[in-house]
Amino acid sequence: MAKRTAIVDLGSNSVRLVIFEKSSRYAFHTLAEYKRKVRLGENAYNNAKFLQAQAMQRTLETLEYFKEMVLKHKCKKILIVGTSALRDAPNGKDFIKEVKTKLGLNIRCIDGKTESYLGGLAALNLLSNIKNATTLDIGGGSSELCLIKDGKIQDCLSLDLGTVRLKELFYDTNKLEKLDAFLDESLKLIPEHFKNDKLIAIGGSLRAISSSIMDKNSYPLKTLHEFSYKLENEKKHLERILNANIEDLYDYGIKKDRFDTIKEGTLIFTKIATKLGTKEVITSGVGVREGVYLNDILPPNKRFASNFNPSVRSLQDRFLGKQKTKIPHYVSLLFDELSNLHNLDAHYKSTLIHAAKLCNIGSYLNFYFSNEHSSYFILNALNYNFSHQEKALIAILIRSAGRKIGIYAEPFKELLPPFEIMTWLNFMLGYAKIIALNHPNESKLEFTLHNNSLYLYSIKNLNIPKDELKKLILPQDLVLVLNQKP
């Protein structure tokens, strides 16, 4: 098992190196990432798709630097994939051979369907609750679509629509009058069964658009992965980007390194989204690189187990080690026993258990203010398979830990459930933490609800400080009774 694996994604526009580190068999996190805009496909589309000497030299130098970084990080494995510009180029094989000869690196040139599959594989495994959706990955030379149906990859498609391709063929040559016809011919290649209400946005251009929308809407989280929006609500914003002068793109939250291709990316996105009948867009912070990695480490069915989350396990492995706690067990018992009173949807139980598993993680940084530290870990390192609503909820529950939910929850109010639900979940987590801290693990506990009184009983004496219980915010008219049975 390679503890550290380097993945290089050699695209038409950029080349990226990502280093993933395993903490256990399937748990992993990103250790480092490097990006260079080498423009391997520069001037190729106007020269019969031949890679140009300067572009190949830039790429070769970047790969040499990446090799140094791979060695520095002591990676046991390196996987390099080349996409559109490389597979289209008549001299692509010559370049691959040159890289092998000069650097000793093997590049695997993947076809469009494989590129589409890898993006879909990453989205399916690392986004939350993806059952039916179509992924769209807009690159420099091509755009890939992957159809996900009933939680499985059903079909893959690659189109010769890319930001650099459009820029060089139409924008740079002032042939915009021919652009619509070119786009229409490409869109005809999208089969009807790819249509979907949900579109998963992959790739730098689409992430730049999502970042722009987040900035415009003063969105409370800074995390792009799992950010979603209704396309209808943002159509005018997309039109403004398309019609803006280059120097005005700053005003729309577009970073300078995207100025030269963001219009092309936005145009491709809006055309394909319209063709697909998109209503909701879900931003994916993962793509081909993560797909290559997952394809390498996952079992034959290419899925994580249903009860396994790579981010939760990675955080536990790295920061909690072999430390054991009864908090998840206690919150599970409390949720079930109180179910007739709180009437919460079953998915909140899973959220509560995840909060219980990670509520002590902040003590790794410092025992004092550990709740605040734990909350920060959740907001910034709980990366995969959690919606923004779930992340915000877990972070606030851990921060509050049974006490009054403070003003720190205010910035996230649009993501949080109603206050009554928050109160119940907050109480259960806080109560479970107090019990786990003050009660011996070897003694079995019994929770019983009777006439709005929650009885906690143990054969051994319960040494739980009453002043700690007084700090708990109890829901409704709930009463706590210790070491008695109803």
Side-chain angles (χ1 to χ4, degrees):
M1 179 183 80
K3 184 175 177 63
R4 292 181 181 177
T5 299
I7 309 292
V8 177
D9 177 7
L10 184 54
S12 305
N13 194 31
S14 301
V15 55
R16 291 177 185 262
L17 163 66
V18 182
I19 296 172
F20 296 108
E21 182 175 64
K22 279 188 177 182
S23 56
S24 52
R25 187 172 183 182
Y26 295 122
F28 69 94
H29 67 283
T30 301
L31 185 68
E33 183 171 356
Y34 303 88
K35 174 188 173 183
R36 296 289 186 274
K37 187 176 274 191
V38 298
R39 286 284 175 85
L40 178 60
E42 187 174 43
N43 292 323
Y45 302 109
N46 287 322
N47 289 279
K49 299 182 181 178
F50 276 88
L51 300 177
Q52 302 300 294
Q54 285 186 335
M56 288 190 288
Q57 183 59 33
R58 288 195 302 266
T59 306
L60 189 68
E61 291 171 359
T62 296
L63 289 174
E64 184 176 20
Y65 169 70
F66 281 2
K67 182 179 178 180
E68 292 176 7
M69 294 302 101
V70 169
L71 293 173
K72 175 185 174 183
H73 288 289
K74 300 179 180 178
C75 298
K76 297 297 183 183
K77 183 184 289 188
I78 178 170
L79 302 172
I80 307 175
V81 294
T83 55
S84 178
L86 198 58
R87 65 174 172 257
D88 288 348
N91 59 340
K93 290 183 179 179
D94 295 332
F95 179 68
I96 292 173
K97 186 177 179 180
E98 182 181 9
V99 171
K100 173 65 175 176
T101 301
K102 292 184 176 180
L103 301 178
L105 298 175
N106 295 307
I107 299 176
R108 176 192 170 201
C109 185
I110 58 176
D111 60 34
K113 284 199 170 185
T114 301
E115 185 177 356
S116 167
Y117 169 81
L118 292 171
L121 182 68
L124 188 57
N125 278 283
L126 300 177
L127 283 166
S128 61
N129 302 316
I130 299 301
K131 297 297 182 185
N132 298 286
T134 297
T135 71
L136 171 62
D137 184 353
I138 299 175
S142 63
S143 292
E144 278 65 47
L145 293 88
C146 179
L147 176 64
I148 297 173
K149 189 174 182 181
D150 297 325
K152 296 180 181 180
I153 293 175
Q154 295 289 331
D155 203 356
C156 298
L157 175 70
S158 180
L159 303 174
D160 287 337
L161 288 178
T163 57
V164 177
R165 190 187 295 264
L166 293 195
K167 181 178 185 297
E168 294 188 358
L169 290 179
F170 301 101
Y171 286 83
D172 291 351
T173 56
N174 292 316
K175 294 180 180 178
L176 294 178
E177 73 280 357
K178 298 182 178 180
L179 179 55
D180 282 342
F182 179 82
L183 290 169
D184 289 343
E185 284 301 308
S186 296
L187 293 173
K188 288 178 183 177
L189 299 175
I190 302 176
E192 284 293 309
H193 64 269
F194 272 81
K195 287 188 174 182
N196 215 305
D197 286 351
K198 290 185 178 180
L199 183 149
I200 298 173
I202 303 174
S205 293
L206 295 182
R207 284 194 284 268
I209 290 170
S210 292
S211 180
S212 171
I213 292 170
M214 290 169 72
D215 185 61
K216 174 181 72 75
N217 296 339
S218 300
Y219 191 71
L221 292 184
K222 301 301 180 187
T223 307
L224 277 168
H225 189 61
E226 295 266 7
F227 169 68
S228 63
Y229 58 91
K230 302 297 182 184
L231 184 60
E232 183 64 32
N233 295 343
E234 306 301 339
K235 280 187 175 179
K236 288 185 178 179
H237 184 66
L238 295 171
E239 289 172 7
R240 293 187 191 105
I241 292 174
L242 279 171
N243 297 321
N245 296 320
I246 295 296
E247 60 271 16
D248 294 332
L249 287 172
Y250 268 127
D251 299 334
Y252 299 106
I254 305 298
K255 293 180 181 179
K256 191 173 181 179
D257 65 345
R258 286 284 167 191
F259 279 10
D260 56 346
T261 56
I262 191 61
K263 288 191 174 187
E264 292 85 344
T266 304
L267 179 62
I268 294 170
F269 169 54
T270 53
K271 290 285 187 179
I272 292 179
T274 300
K275 171 77 175 181
L276 296 176
T278 299
K279 293 181 180 179
E280 181 184 8
V281 179
I282 304 166
T283 312
S284 173
V286 299
V288 170
R289 294 174 294 283
E290 288 78 10
V292 171
Y293 183 64
L294 292 175
N295 195 50
D296 186 56
I297 69 167
L298 287 176
N301 68 352
K302 301 303 177 186
R303 293 301 303 271
F304 289 113
S306 59
N307 61 346
F308 179 83
N309 184 286
S311 281
V312 172
R313 183 58 185 272
S314 176
L315 288 172
Q316 288 177 305
D317 291 341
R318 286 182 287 153
F319 303 114
L320 295 174
K322 296 181 179 179
Q323 176 184 332
K324 293 183 178 180
T325 176
K326 283 280 189 175
I327 302 174
H329 176 62
Y330 292 153
V331 295
S332 178
L333 293 177
L334 283 166
F335 191 95
D336 292 342
E337 186 61 30
L338 294 167
S339 60
N340 290 334
L341 203 55
H342 60 59
N343 293 312
L344 298 181
D345 190 278
H347 81 271
Y348 284 117
K349 181 178 179 179
S350 175
T351 302
L352 189 60
I353 289 172
H354 285 310
K357 287 180 178 179
L358 299 172
C359 64
N360 289 329
I361 197 169
S363 59
Y364 174 87
L365 180 62
N366 196 315
F367 173 80
Y368 298 103
F369 303 105
S370 62
N371 287 353
E372 289 89 331
H373 300 323
S374 295
S375 180
Y376 182 85
F377 268 100
I378 299 305
L379 292 174
N380 294 279
L382 194 61
N383 297 322
Y384 304 131
N385 296 115
F386 287 96
S387 69
H388 283 194
Q389 288 79 5
E390 289 169 324
K391 281 181 68 169
L393 177 55
I394 290 171
I396 297 305
L397 291 177
I398 288 176
R399 178 75 185 270
S400 307
R403 300 187 182 185
K404 182 179 179 181
I405 298 174
I407 58 171
Y408 46 78
E410 186 65 19
F412 307 101
K413 62 182 180 181
E414 67 180 87
L415 299 173
L416 296 173
F419 186 74
E420 183 181 357
I421 294 176
M422 291 281 291
T423 302
W424 272 110
L425 297 173
N426 184 37
F427 158 71
M428 287 185 276
L429 180 62
Y431 194 29
K433 280 191 73 174
I434 291 174
I435 297 168
L437 182 63
N438 294 282
H439 185 70
N441 286 336
E442 65 271 10
S443 177
K444 187 178 178 181
L445 295 176
E446 293 180 21
F447 292 102
T448 307
L449 178 67
H450 183 71
N451 294 333
N452 277 35
S453 292
L454 179 63
Y455 292 82
L456 173 59
Y457 177 77
S458 170
I459 3 177
K460 292 191 177 181
N461 183 47
L462 287 169
N463 188 16
I464 296 177
K466 290 185 179 180
D467 57 335
E468 286 296 311
L469 294 179
K470 288 179 181 178
K471 294 175 184 177
L472 284 175
I473 304 298
L474 303 183
Q476 297 184 3
D477 299 320
L478 189 68
V479 176
L480 301 182
V481 182
L482 299 181
N483 230 27
Q484 291 185 32
K485 291 187 175 183

